[in-house]
Amino acid sequence: MSSLQTFLAPPLSISFSSSNSKPRYSPLESLETCSSMAQLKQNHAHLTKLGLSSDNDAMGRLIKFCALSNDGDLDYALHLFDTLPHPDAFIYNTLIRGYLLRKQAADCIVLYLRMLQDSVLPNKFTFPCLIRACSVDVAVEEGAQIHAHVFKFGFTNDGFCLNNLIHMYVNFKSLENARKVFDKMPRRDVVSWTTLISGYAQLGLVDAAFEVFEWMPERNSVSWNAMIAAYVQSNRFHEAFALFNRMRAENLALDKFVAASMLSACTGLGALEQGEWIHIYIRNKGIELDPKLATTIIDMYCKCGCLEKAYETFKGLTYKSISSWNCMIGGFAMHGKGEAAISIFKDMEKQGIVPDNITFINILSACSHSGLVEEGRYYFQYMTRVHGIEPMMEHYGCMVDLLGRAGLLDEAKKLIDQMPMTPDVGVLGALFGACRIHGNIELGEQVGKRVIELEPNNSGRYVLLANLYVKAGRYEDMANVRRMMNVRGVKKVPGFSVIELEGEVNEFIAGGRDHPESKEIYAKLDEMLDRIRAIGYVPCGAEGVVEELDEEEEKENPLNYHSEKLAIAFGLLKTKAGDTFRITKNLRVCRDCHHASKLISKVFDREIVVRDRNRFHHFKDGECSCKDYW
């Protein structure tokens, strides 16, 4: 019987001196209850006295505790190993696992080479750890050699080894090799299929991942989640919902991983009703609300425009992780509730939670969206003075945005000049946006050209510079920006708006007429515009046109047919006075739609919550929560 078999066999350690005597236990049995290195060393001394210091079975048990237990000591395990004249495969495998647990991947390979030099044959337990070690260390060459040894030593039919090889090649971003291993497998299990799906998804090959998913002979919740997550990570939220509905139709239970992925899809589309359904399901089914899932629920409510439920969920948590605190602070920030964000931060500190760099990004963002200049200056210093957190690029970006929005352009520029690192496009973009708001043409032109060179394929940068020129009446310069976009082949990102009503997500593009209720929507739009004109609405003009539409759209789709206006018209059709509906937009709301939305909320007695690329706007009674500070 081998050492590994000896270890796995039932202990034959009880003997009897007479029919009336109590059972006597072997010293090996005490190793099974060992809980500390002090206790282990006592056992080691006892085994040495019994002459078992060279016994692989006895020493293997000691080495296992030292190498694999949280209370162990790998150095002591290696000391024991060095005293053995002929360590067996079990001992080598145990030490390889010990190295792997400590992320010492290179040492796994070195020990394997020694194993071969000592003429100890590897077994099926050897290779999975070695393959994972190569994967962790992205050791491509060594990984290929270990793959060859899997064949050499006859483990080509071992599913566990082969699944680990697929994962290794996926981690190497070598899908061709991963696919070769997969295609040659004599038997594939759910792990094989799911690993390949995840591999395609990680490289953005979502359609290829879906092909593999469709070929699967059987699926479990892990494989469903892998495919749903692939769609969510690629912002293909509609397809994620379609697949989720298929999963529900097959009566598969929703676990916390699928729930988290679908909550992210709800966040992406602003699908509050479906997000609420998933939250209720989680609660009713008793699904574990770990910190990640709890934060995902809070984030969903915040980004779907329901701050009250986000805060209610947050308050109801028995344990609040740092990510939950950060998410709630960030939620208040994006809704323009800076004072509430600061209040939450103070509660966090009172409870002894140590803030991190993300906490202060959210606090500074809250100050920026609410115009809290003094508070922003205070916390920018406070993070370093009290918590020793040095400002990162994102913190500088928030401060430049805060100062710039407040019209303190010279102070914002001075802060950029004093940065210990070269400002990135986010920091410069914040100053550029502030120049547009406050009409500083000279500085805006200077910064705008730098931003465009840093991000030559971002259409929004060109549009902002064009708007700046329009504001200054420099139409020839605006035309030059247009020509530059055409020469460089830069296309504007098409604007779209999404509204969820009665559990159904509806998407609108500027001037689009594909919706089945298009005729009724446009009739409502005309009524909507007539009624707000009656109380003084006048379109904001050229800036909104340049900002929202490309040249082709301008000819056919004037300001009246922007995507959010169509979504609002649909919302008015489907709701009654006093109701609230929510819209998500992929671009920044234009000035004209912002002005019109305030008036619509008053005339039609609705609360309209709009999430744009930067923040939330709550339109009610003719006012916006941003107080026009956006």
Side-chain angles (χ1 to χ4, degrees):
M1 183 179 287
S2 71
S3 298
L4 182 61
Q5 290 170 323
T6 301
F7 175 70
L8 294 175
L12 302 174
S13 55
I14 300 178
S15 60
F16 298 90
S17 57
S18 70
S19 59
N20 295 322
S21 66
K22 292 182 179 180
R24 197 169 62 243
Y25 296 91
S26 80
L28 295 182
E29 189 172 62
S30 61
L31 293 176
E32 301 301 325
T33 58
C34 186
S35 60
S36 70
M37 284 302 299
Q39 187 180 353
L40 180 131
K41 287 176 181 178
Q42 290 177 350
N43 288 327
H44 182 201
H46 188 45
L47 291 171
T48 301
K49 286 180 182 178
L50 293 174
L52 296 174
S53 60
S54 297
D55 181 80
N56 282 340
D57 184 24
M59 292 300 104
R61 294 171 189 242
L62 293 175
I63 288 170
K64 179 185 176 186
F65 178 85
C66 293
L68 305 184
S69 170
N70 290 332
D71 300 307
D73 182 340
L74 184 59
D75 288 335
Y76 197 82
L78 293 169
H79 163 70
L80 295 175
F81 172 73
D82 287 335
T83 65
L84 292 172
H86 303 292
D88 60 15
F90 171 77
I91 291 171
Y92 272 104
N93 292 344
T94 302
L95 287 171
I96 289 170
R97 282 181 63 196
Y99 277 134
L100 183 61
L101 286 172
R102 291 161 179 80
K103 303 292 191 291
Q104 295 174 234
D107 291 320
C108 294
I109 305 301
V110 171
L111 189 60
Y112 174 63
L113 293 175
R114 179 172 171 180
M115 181 181 186
L116 296 178
Q117 289 167 358
D118 288 349
S119 300
V120 178
L121 285 176
N123 58 30
K124 68 177 183 179
F125 299 103
T126 309
F127 289 108
C129 288
L130 291 171
I131 295 165
R132 286 200 291 273
C134 294
S135 182
V136 166
D137 223 26
V138 195
V140 177
E141 184 177 342
E142 290 84 353
Q145 292 171 351
I146 295 297
H147 186 178
H149 278 216
V150 169
F151 277 78
K152 177 180 178 180
F153 289 103
F155 297 105
T156 54
N157 291 331
D158 187 88
F160 196 47
C161 282
L162 297 178
N163 284 340
N164 275 280
L165 281 172
I166 295 171
H167 181 268
M168 179 188 77
Y169 283 122
V170 163
N171 203 48
F172 292 167
K173 295 181 171 55
S174 177
L175 283 180
E176 183 180 352
N177 284 322
R179 189 60 187 259
K180 284 179 181 177
V181 175
F182 177 83
D183 288 341
K184 292 179 180 178
M185 290 180 75
R187 289 177 302 279
R188 305 180 189 103
D189 58 18
V190 173
V191 175
S192 319
W193 289 91
T194 305
T195 305
L196 191 62
I197 289 168
S198 298
Y200 280 117
Q202 286 168 25
L203 292 183
L205 302 172
V206 181
D207 292 328
F210 184 65
E211 284 184 21
V212 176
F213 177 81
E214 289 290 76
W215 292 335
M216 288 185 72
E218 59 179 296
R219 308 179 184 97
N220 62 9
S221 62
V222 177
S223 47
W224 281 97
N225 183 55
M227 194 61 238
I228 290 170
Y231 280 132
V232 172
Q233 290 158 13
S234 301
N235 295 327
R236 292 166 63 168
F237 304 120
H238 291 291
E239 286 153 298
F241 271 106
L243 197 59
F244 177 61
N245 290 336
R246 268 183 61 185
M247 178 182 172
R248 288 172 59 192
E250 294 186 21
N251 295 319
L252 283 167
L254 182 70
D255 63 19
K256 67 178 181 179
F257 302 105
V258 176
S261 293
M262 285 311 303
L263 285 166
S264 296
C266 294
T267 300
L269 284 179
L272 176 62
E273 291 179 37
Q274 302 217 35
E276 283 183 296
W277 182 89
I278 294 170
H279 185 197
I280 292 167
Y281 183 96
I282 290 167
R283 193 166 55 229
N284 291 345
K285 295 294 182 180
I287 294 175
E288 179 194 1
L289 199 63
D290 61 23
K292 181 178 179 181
L293 185 57
T295 302
T296 306
I297 293 170
I298 295 167
D299 190 52
M300 181 275 294
Y301 280 127
C302 287
K303 291 179 179 174
C304 287
C306 195
L307 198 57
E308 300 81 8
K309 287 202 172 181
Y311 188 51
E312 180 185 314
T313 303
F314 173 77
K315 286 196 301 181
L317 296 178
T318 52
Y319 167 73
K320 298 179 178 72
S321 66
I322 181 67
S323 60
S324 299
W325 286 98
N326 286 344
C327 186
M328 197 65 248
I329 293 169
F332 280 120
M334 72 177 72
H335 284 267
K337 297 185 178 294
E339 293 87 352
I342 291 171
S343 176
I344 287 283
F345 173 73
K346 289 178 179 177
D347 289 344
M348 173 182 168
E349 287 199 304
K350 285 176 186 175
Q351 294 193 27
I353 306 296
V354 179
D356 58 16
N357 67 298
I358 296 172
T359 311
F360 285 102
I361 290 172
N362 289 343
I363 282 291
L364 294 174
S365 175
C367 293
S368 175
H369 285 308
S370 300
L372 304 176
V373 176
E374 290 305 318
E375 291 85 345
R377 287 178 177 140
Y378 172 79
Y379 283 110
F380 188 68
Q381 300 296 327
Y382 180 87
M383 60 186 278
T384 303
R385 176 170 50 85
V386 176
H387 292 285
I389 298 173
E390 292 297 325
M392 298 167 61
M393 192 73 76
E394 294 85 353
H395 300 107
Y396 281 105
C398 289
M399 279 304 295
V400 170
D401 190 52
L402 168 65
L403 296 169
R405 287 177 186 273
L408 303 170
L409 297 179
D410 290 339
E411 186 178 344
K413 187 176 184 305
K414 183 179 178 182
L415 181 63
I416 290 175
D417 293 339
Q418 293 174 346
M419 286 174 62
M421 71 282 283
T422 302
D424 68 2
V425 71
V427 174
L428 293 173
L431 181 59
F432 184 27
C435 290
R436 181 197 64 82
I437 292 169
H438 297 287
N440 190 321
I441 306 302
E442 183 180 351
L443 181 59
E445 182 177 35
Q446 175 191 337
V447 177
K449 288 180 178 179
R450 285 181 65 188
V451 166
I452 285 173
E453 292 311 308
L454 287 171
E455 219 171 33
N457 295 318
N458 186 333
S459 63
R461 307 301 186 186
Y462 296 87
V463 171
L464 201 60
L465 183 58
N467 285 337
L468 197 68
Y469 287 138
V470 168
K471 201 167 187 176
R474 293 167 57 178
Y475 296 105
E476 183 58 35
D477 288 325
M478 183 270 283
N480 287 336
V481 173
R482 294 284 199 167
R483 281 192 285 271
M484 188 191 304
M485 288 181 70
N486 291 335
V487 168
R488 295 182 176 182
V490 179
K491 302 293 184 184
K492 276 186 88 289
V493 176
F496 66 83
S497 296
V498 173
I499 180 171
E500 183 203 32
L501 287 169
E502 300 171 352
E504 187 174 340
V505 175
N506 299 267
E507 184 175 308
F508 297 92
I509 61 171
R513 294 181 180 270
D514 291 337
H515 195 280
E517 297 181 64
S518 177
K519 184 177 179 181
E520 293 83 355
I521 291 168
Y522 274 86
K524 192 68 178 179
L525 177 61
D526 290 338
E527 178 199 342
M528 181 177 85
L529 294 171
D530 285 342
R531 290 183 64 179
I532 62 174
R533 284 192 194 103
I535 61 168
Y537 167 68
V538 176
C540 290
E543 183 188 359
V545 173
V546 175
E547 187 172 38
E548 277 305 303
L549 304 172
D550 64 28
E551 290 175 336
E552 291 305 311
E553 286 176 325
E554 284 171 30
K555 296 171 184 176
E556 299 178 7
N557 304 316
L559 291 169
N560 294 351
Y561 301 144
H562 280 187
S563 62
E564 55 265 58
K565 286 194 179 78
L566 293 172
I568 289 172
F570 181 71
L572 294 177
L573 275 175
K574 299 296 180 179
T575 60
K576 61 184 184 300
D579 284 351
T580 299
F581 58 86
R582 296 168 174 83
I583 294 168
T584 300
K585 182 173 174 59
N586 68 324
L587 301 176
R588 191 177 70 90
V589 171
C590 78
R591 196 171 299 278
D592 180 74
C593 286
H594 189 270
H595 174 51
S597 297
K598 289 193 291 184
L599 298 176
I600 294 164
S601 71
K602 181 178 182 179
V603 170
F604 289 90
D605 187 22
R606 305 289 202 280
E607 181 175 359
I608 305 169
V609 181
V610 177
R611 177 181 121 200
D612 73 5
R613 186 176 58 196
N614 296 331
R615 61 168 299 157
F616 273 88
H617 301 267
H618 294 251
F619 300 101
K620 188 176 182 181
D621 299 326
E623 301 293 334
C624 180
S625 60
C626 74
K627 302 182 178 68
D628 294 335
Y629 191 80
W630 59 288

